[in-house]
Amino acid sequence: MSVTVQQRGGQCKAAVLGRLDTHEDRSALLALLRTEPAEPLELCFYDADILPSDVLLAIADRLDAGGKLKIQAYHALLAHSLVRLNLPTRQVAAKLEQPGERPPLRALALAGSAQSLEPILRIVEALPLSDVVVFIAQHVQEDQANLLDRLLKTRTGYVVEMPQQMTPTRPGTVYVAPPGHHMKVAHGYVYLTRDRQIQFARPSIDVLFQSLAAEYGDGALAVLLCGYGRDGAEGCAALRQAGGCVIVQDGSECAPARAMPDAARNDGHYDFVLKLPAIASLAASAVAGAEAEPDGALLDLFLEALASHYGYDFRHYQRDSLKRRILNLMSQFNLRAFCDFQRAVLTDAALFERLCAELPVGVTSFFRHPQQMKLLRDEILPYLSSFPLIKLWSAGCSTGEEPYSLAIVLEELGLLDRSHLFATDLNPYLLELGSSGLFPAGALALNRENYLASGGPRLFDAYLAANGRFLKMEDRLRQRILFYRHSLTDEGIFNEFQLIVCRNVLIYFDAELQRQVLRRFARSLHAEGFLALGPQDGLHRQALDAGFEPYCSGSYLYRVGRGAER
């Protein structure tokens, strides 16, 4: 059971592990919340990022009955969702490492064997120019020429050398170990030796890493890439013992040449195991230094890393908006350097979920843009009533206020029972909030005003149950909306709709992605269908270019024209 209860000194404390996925766990928690309210109760949620609506309602009922209740949330998203509903919550801050106190990076080492050439080229190509010294050791046949230095000179602005004995190390230089020689670094010089092979290799990764541990200590970052054998495992251990940082490439990218990174991983001699896009992004931001901002090529690399690591593609979002939100989260997480922020997000799924909740802007309200909603009520939906089944799509629905507004209008027009209303968003957390049908009470006055301005014939409150803390949408409306995840950036058509509403979402995409999504909408619309865009989107010209025709001037409502790509 994930709900553990302790009784101490007249106070009941419950520790809730997991996400309350089972009926038994949920029933146990509900029974606890419905005990005598005078008894002090403390709930500690360690893993859940959101609570079921029946649990939230039980919490509100206990508080309204005068019960003494404390809630501690260890997940940032859970704390956000509870505060949103005016439920008293204390977030237990995650104990993040504060790597901002680390000394500046002075040396970067890249090493590998079979299948490591392309990763080395890709990482070096991504590095911004800096004073960091870069060392590369790659296993090659001793009787074959190593052309890595020549290849790198075409990919980077760094000085690239295959050093000789006693070459002094210089900032902004890449040193490639020559074949048949071990490469060491000591006292500011590169040493080359013809000592015996180590782990059947010369150059040896262990030799290089161990010398970097002694020379640079906690100012070194080492990356162990694909290859056979165990070379590098002991060197990784030495680097970590000296305070350096070790990244190991995910062996799944290296098959069949995964023995080398797997050996270091199995021995525990690493800080992070990452795929190549994440390694390139982290290395570039580490080299750029603590003052580098999430901008330009560094931001591009990070977004590519997120797409590879988590499958979320933000690469076509507007850069200024992304940068602002990342800087805001860096401040909240108390992470000064963009590199440290990347390490946290790429290695902690909870922090990534928090990032996802911030990036797609979830600003919405009921009956937002009431004049457009009035036009939908008075003209568009009555026109669509001739269809036996009306299919509507709220794209980028955020926390659900928009699809619920459409459901209310359909109900008032007598069309809800023969309508299918789809609500989609990229962010599963926002979808969970929307599907719960629970909303903050603070915006009630604005929602009432928007409803009346949109031509609402009743009172907006008729569709809600209020408990003084939050609003609960009528179950009949909630059950008519299908919430599910869909990405506008990389997922295609899934139905044919008579109405698509996508307001104040595309404004955060770049121009090319806006064009792609508009073409996708054109292919998703029935020939007699309509598209509603937001007044702030500024997409009139793009809509015309995609083949849409305005329904009427200034309405931001469009129909599919004959020239639309379908």
Side-chain angles (χ1 to χ4, degrees):
M1 175 176 287
S2 65
V3 181
T4 304
V5 180
Q6 292 182 336
Q7 296 279 353
R8 288 184 179 177
Q11 181 172 341
C12 180
K13 182 174 182 179
V16 183
L17 304 177
R19 292 172 49 88
L20 290 173
D21 292 328
T22 69
H23 174 74
E24 291 77 9
D25 289 337
R26 188 181 302 185
S27 297
L29 183 56
L30 287 172
L32 192 62
L33 285 166
R34 290 164 182 162
T35 57
E36 175 57 45
E39 181 181 351
L41 175 62
E42 181 176 348
L43 301 177
C44 297
F45 295 97
Y46 289 95
D47 306 303
D49 56 357
I50 197 166
L51 298 181
S53 57
D54 54 352
V55 172
L56 293 170
L57 291 169
I59 289 174
D61 289 344
R62 185 179 183 90
L63 290 169
D64 292 342
K68 296 179 180 180
L69 177 62
K70 294 181 180 179
I71 302 175
Q72 295 194 72
Y74 283 77
H75 199 299
L77 291 183
L78 178 59
H80 174 270
S81 67
L82 294 175
V83 170
R84 171 179 176 266
L85 298 179
N86 196 29
L87 297 174
T89 308
R90 185 176 77 86
Q91 181 183 346
V92 181
K95 295 182 179 179
L96 295 177
E97 177 190 2
Q98 298 303 319
E101 301 175 0
R102 294 178 64 93
L105 183 67
R106 295 189 292 147
L108 169 66
L110 309 176
S113 181
Q115 297 181 206
S116 66
L117 175 59
E118 285 303 320
I120 289 172
L121 294 175
R122 183 171 175 182
I123 294 169
V124 173
E125 189 174 35
L127 297 179
L129 293 178
S130 73
D131 290 336
V132 171
V133 188
V134 181
F135 301 95
I136 300 176
Q138 186 188 32
H139 294 170
V140 294
Q141 294 293 329
E142 295 191 11
D143 58 352
Q144 294 182 355
N146 188 343
L147 303 180
L148 181 57
D149 58 330
R150 301 181 193 179
L151 292 172
L152 288 172
K153 287 177 181 179
T154 67
R155 305 285 189 105
T156 181
Y158 281 76
V159 175
V160 181
E161 292 186 18
M162 191 167 283
Q164 298 180 350
Q165 171 72 349
M166 294 294 289
T167 297
T169 58
R170 294 186 298 272
T173 304
V174 177
Y175 296 97
V176 180
H181 293 79
H182 296 306
M183 183 169 71
K184 304 178 183 180
V185 183
H187 309 297
Y189 289 91
V190 175
Y191 292 84
L192 302 177
T193 72
R194 291 280 297 172
D195 295 342
R196 64 178 178 82
Q197 292 184 346
I198 298 178
Q199 299 287 345
F200 308 101
R202 190 170 52 200
S204 165
I205 299 170
D206 280 333
V207 169
L208 174 62
F209 281 9
Q210 288 165 352
S211 71
L212 295 179
E215 180 77 356
Y216 295 102
D218 56 6
L221 168 63
V223 179
L224 187 63
L225 300 165
C226 302
Y228 294 108
R230 287 188 50 85
D231 191 20
E234 293 184 8
C236 289
L239 276 164
R240 294 199 73 226
Q241 187 173 3
C245 180
V246 174
I247 300 176
V248 174
Q249 187 172 5
D250 190 325
S252 65
E253 292 188 319
C254 300
R258 60 180 299 167
M260 182 180 293
D262 283 353
R265 181 176 185 174
N266 293 337
D267 290 350
H269 302 322
Y270 65 91
D271 293 279
F272 309 108
V273 175
L274 298 170
K275 294 183 178 179
L276 183 57
I279 294 173
S281 182
L282 274 177
S285 61
V287 165
E291 302 304 320
E293 293 197 334
D295 206 354
L298 292 181
L299 181 54
D300 292 340
L301 287 167
F302 178 52
L303 298 180
E304 184 178 354
L306 290 180
S308 170
H309 195 70
Y310 289 112
Y312 278 57
D313 193 349
F314 298 110
R315 286 175 288 187
H316 293 285
Y317 279 62
Q318 284 192 356
R319 293 301 190 264
D320 289 345
S321 176
L322 288 171
K323 178 180 177 181
R324 286 194 302 271
R325 282 161 179 80
I326 289 174
L327 288 173
N328 179 55
L329 284 175
M330 288 171 60
S331 176
Q332 291 183 38
F333 295 160
N334 196 27
L335 297 170
R336 186 172 67 90
F338 183 41
C339 178
D340 300 331
F341 176 78
Q342 289 195 45
R343 291 177 183 174
V345 170
L346 289 169
T347 57
D348 188 330
L351 295 184
F352 170 71
E353 291 171 1
R354 176 66 183 278
L355 174 65
C356 286
E358 292 283 341
L359 290 186
V361 180
V363 178
T364 186
S365 63
F366 287 97
F367 293 91
R368 193 178 187 190
H369 310 310
Q371 293 308 310
Q372 188 183 68
M373 291 294 296
K374 189 174 191 306
L375 196 58
L376 291 174
R377 178 193 296 273
D378 294 343
E379 300 182 27
I380 305 303
L381 290 173
Y383 174 83
L384 296 177
S385 65
S386 60
F387 286 86
L389 177 64
I390 308 171
K391 288 175 285 186
L392 306 91
W393 178 15
S394 174
C397 68
S398 186
T399 49
E401 284 86 342
E402 181 175 270
Y404 281 109
S405 300
L406 292 170
I408 289 172
V409 175
L410 290 167
E411 170 76 356
E412 292 174 348
L413 294 176
L415 300 175
L416 184 61
D417 287 338
R418 56 188 181 96
S419 298
H420 284 178
L421 182 49
F422 298 83
T424 69
D425 202 276
L426 172 68
N427 193 321
Y429 169 67
L430 298 180
L431 291 171
E432 289 275 4
L433 296 181
S435 63
S436 73
L438 305 179
F439 297 93
L444 182 57
L446 174 62
N447 296 332
R448 290 168 174 163
E449 180 181 334
N450 285 346
Y451 171 76
L452 293 175
S454 72
R458 305 174 62 186
L459 292 176
F460 177 69
D461 302 52
Y463 300 99
L464 301 163
N467 60 16
R469 298 181 181 276
F470 53 81
L471 310 174
K472 180 180 181 296
M473 184 59 60
E474 192 177 82
D475 285 341
R476 169 172 162 76
L477 298 176
R478 186 172 58 84
Q479 293 165 2
R480 299 295 304 185
I481 302 174
L482 303 174
F483 286 92
Y484 69 96
R485 184 187 179 278
H486 178 272
S487 171
L488 291 174
T489 65
D490 55 16
E491 295 185 66
I493 300 168
F494 63 92
N495 213 318
E496 183 181 66
F497 299 95
Q498 283 75 41
L499 175 63
I500 297 175
V501 180
C502 184
R503 304 189 297 181
N504 308 108
V505 176
L506 302 187
I507 190 173
Y508 298 103
F509 295 173
D510 65 22
E512 176 56 32
L513 185 56
Q514 288 172 346
R515 286 190 288 269
Q516 292 178 19
V517 174
L518 286 171
R519 288 195 293 267
R520 191 169 296 148
F521 285 158
R523 296 194 298 272
S524 301
L525 273 174
H526 187 276
E528 297 296 318
F530 295 83
L531 170 67
L533 298 176
Q536 282 82 35
D537 288 341
L539 295 175
H540 182 69
R541 173 50 56 187
Q542 290 93 321
L544 297 181
D545 291 343
F548 287 97
E549 296 176 352
Y551 173 69
C552 63
S553 178
S555 67
Y556 305 99
L557 288 168
Y558 298 86
R559 306 195 70 174
V560 181
R562 293 182 179 179
E565 299 182 29
R566 297 180 62 81

